Amino acid sequence: MATTVFERSRPDQRIVTAALDGSRLKPFWLDDLPPRTAFPRYSGTRSADLVVVGGGYTGLWTALQAKQRDSGARVVILEAKSIAWAASGRNGGFCEASLTHGELNGANRFPREIEQLTRLGIENLDEIEATVHELSLDCDFERTGALAVALEEYQLEELRAAHNGTTEIFFDAEAMRAEVNSPTYLGGLWSRRETAMVHPAKLAMELARACTDVGVEIFENTVVTGLDSELRSGPVSVMTKDGFVAADRVALATNVFPSLLKRFRLHTVPVYDYVLMTEPLSDAQLASIGWHRRQGMADTGNQFHYYRLSADNRILWGGYDAIYHYGGRIRAEYEDRPDSFDKLARHFFTTFPQLEGVKFTHRWAGVIDTSSRFCAFFGRARQGRVSYAAGFTGLGVGASRFAANVMLDHLAGLDTERTNLQMVKSMPVPFPPEPAAYAGVQASRWALNRADHSEGRRNLLLRTLDAVGLGFDS
Ligand SMILES: Cc1cc2nc3c(=O)[nH]c(=O)nc-3n(C[C@H](O)[C@H](O)[C@H](O)COP(=O)(O)OP(=O)(O)OC[C@H]3O[C@@H](n4cnc5c(N)ncnc54)[C@H](O)[C@@H]3O)c2cc1C
């Protein structure tokens, strides 16, 4: 079997160990926020036009846009812990236009509407940018685009084939290294319009601020325990430990956490993704890699790294490992995985050997809501009074705003371009229950790793899973 560049060129382990030594187990982005007073915990009874469950991007965009559609609506957000503590506060900050986890995935699954989905995705990103400016959201928004880099010859051929020539720039090895300097790069493709970089936690906190500015009520440390609606019409009781809200409409924005609608519990599996953040680079260190145009970056294997610069010139370096725990369990102790951090740090110094001596200040993990079609799906319940969106599979920073609009369309009973999409009307294949889920995910991971050692060639298992639409990805 062929080796990957990360096996052919390994840094001295002492460099890796020293770089990780002293790092904090905490998402940098959350650590970077100013201290704040928590929103109150919910208790008692009240009524609302819309209750949003979940205070990540999906919930915040739903609440904000509900008020933009109807400024008089009484909108309440109930969040189990705190705003953005989960994926929305610990992601890579790649705000992508794609609604389908990349054009290739969208074209494979929704061939008849991929052009429409691409247009809607760009419009969504343009509208996010407009909102950032209109509401002065202070979230380090930079529309730099994204650079996909090839580390192996077969990846270079794939990038050449993908080049559409209009909004993209192709770099051969020399041009690529002049753009961002790594001895591992064989070429790259820069998509200039489809990605903006953001500070993920600031984006969420600024959305929360914008919500409260227009009168949304936010409650933290408030777990929703169930939905109660005996009648075929009338309000749905959104139950919490210390009370309930009688809601005309309910939007469920609970992402990877167990769905309050039991029938969707097998439609996502939680997959852990690991991330490192360096200290701020000095001017000399930054000059040694170039990267003047500050694009978001990713290499293009089946198992890939994503990386980017922060506003204060740290490098965020994440991805590669995707870890699923038996039973789909989500536990704080899974977040510290020395093997994954060590591997990430090794790959970092293989990519940028000139940064030897740089320290990682933060290490963390987050849970990705993987759906078997790698992009969001939409459910409805209680005669249209409850709407649900989940399954972004690691690409929800931008797509969550689109999903919020779909939920609001559904809750209003509107017939729109969005609600008529096959992507919105169709559902992914659910994952099988245990022990099959665990066995299937492990076999898929093994096969993806093997494909990276075989010039990207997908074996029978992966081709079968592709064919039945039951995939696994982060
Ligand atoms: C490490 C990592 C890196 C990523 N990188 C990127 C990236 O670069 N670009 C990109 O596009 N996407 C990325 N993603 C994915 C992206 O972060 C998510 O798709 C997005 O944040 C989903 O937002 P959300 O609001 O749906 O979910 P979340 O942010 O997970 O929020 C869901 C909220 O619901 C709350 N909740 C759940 N159940 C209940 C309940 N019963 N009662 C009350 N509240 C409840 C939770 O407490 C949580 O706060 C990444 C994800 C991870 C983990």
Side-chain angles (χ1 to χ4, degrees), residues 249-301:
R249 296 287 181 267
V250 182
L252 300 177
T254 54
N255 193 28
V256 74
F257 301 95
S259 178
L260 290 160
L261 302 172
K262 284 209 176 70
R263 65 175 179 275
F264 295 117
R265 291 225 170 140
L266 291 174
H267 282 75
T268 57
V269 290
V271 174
Y272 278 81
D273 186 32
Y274 295 85
V275 189
L276 295 173
M277 186 66 119
T278 70
E279 61 191 341
L281 301 190
S282 67
D283 290 346
Q285 286 166 332
L286 199 54
S288 74
I289 38 176
W291 212 346
H292 303 294
R293 292 190 267 202
R294 303 177 56 82
Q295 301 96 329
M297 297 191 64
D299 46 51
T300 48

Side-chain angles (χ1 to χ4, degrees), residues 77-213:
I77 297 178
L78 302 177
E79 162 54 44
K81 290 192 177 179
S82 54
I83 297 296
W85 77 273
S88 298
R90 56 182 71 210
N91 62 72
F94 289 61
C95 187
E96 303 265 352
S98 177
L99 305 173
T100 55
H101 207 280
E103 185 148 0
L104 190 60
N105 184 50
N108 285 338
R109 293 177 198 276
F110 314 109
R112 277 178 291 124
E113 62 187 28
I114 184 59
E115 281 180 25
Q116 191 184 5
L117 287 166
T118 304
R119 172 179 56 77
L120 288 169
I122 287 281
E123 283 172 13
N124 182 55
L125 182 54
D126 288 345
E127 286 161 10
I128 291 174
E129 182 167 12
T131 305
V132 165
H133 295 307
E134 273 159 31
L135 302 183
S136 303
L137 304 182
D138 174 13
C139 61
D140 302 343
F141 186 95
E142 300 179 80
R143 195 143 175 189
T144 58
L147 248 173
V149 289
L151 311 182
E152 310 287 347
E153 282 298 335
Y154 76 89
Q155 295 170 4
L156 191 60
E157 290 318 307
E158 286 170 1
L159 288 187
R160 250 190 251 282
H163 182 201
N164 73 16
T166 51
T167 60
E168 294 175 347
I169 296 180
F170 181 81
F171 297 116
D172 63 15
E174 196 184 337
M176 184 59 232
R177 290 177 197 181
E179 188 72 23
V180 183
N181 185 18
S182 165
T184 63
Y185 295 162
L186 302 182
L189 189 60
W190 179 21
S191 308
R192 287 178 297 167
R193 265 179 59 67
E194 284 87 352
T195 307
M197 304 310 298
V198 297
H199 183 307
K202 281 190 186 172
L203 173 62
M205 290 319 302
E206 283 288 90
L207 285 173
R209 195 255 307 157
C211 281
T212 55
D213 283 353

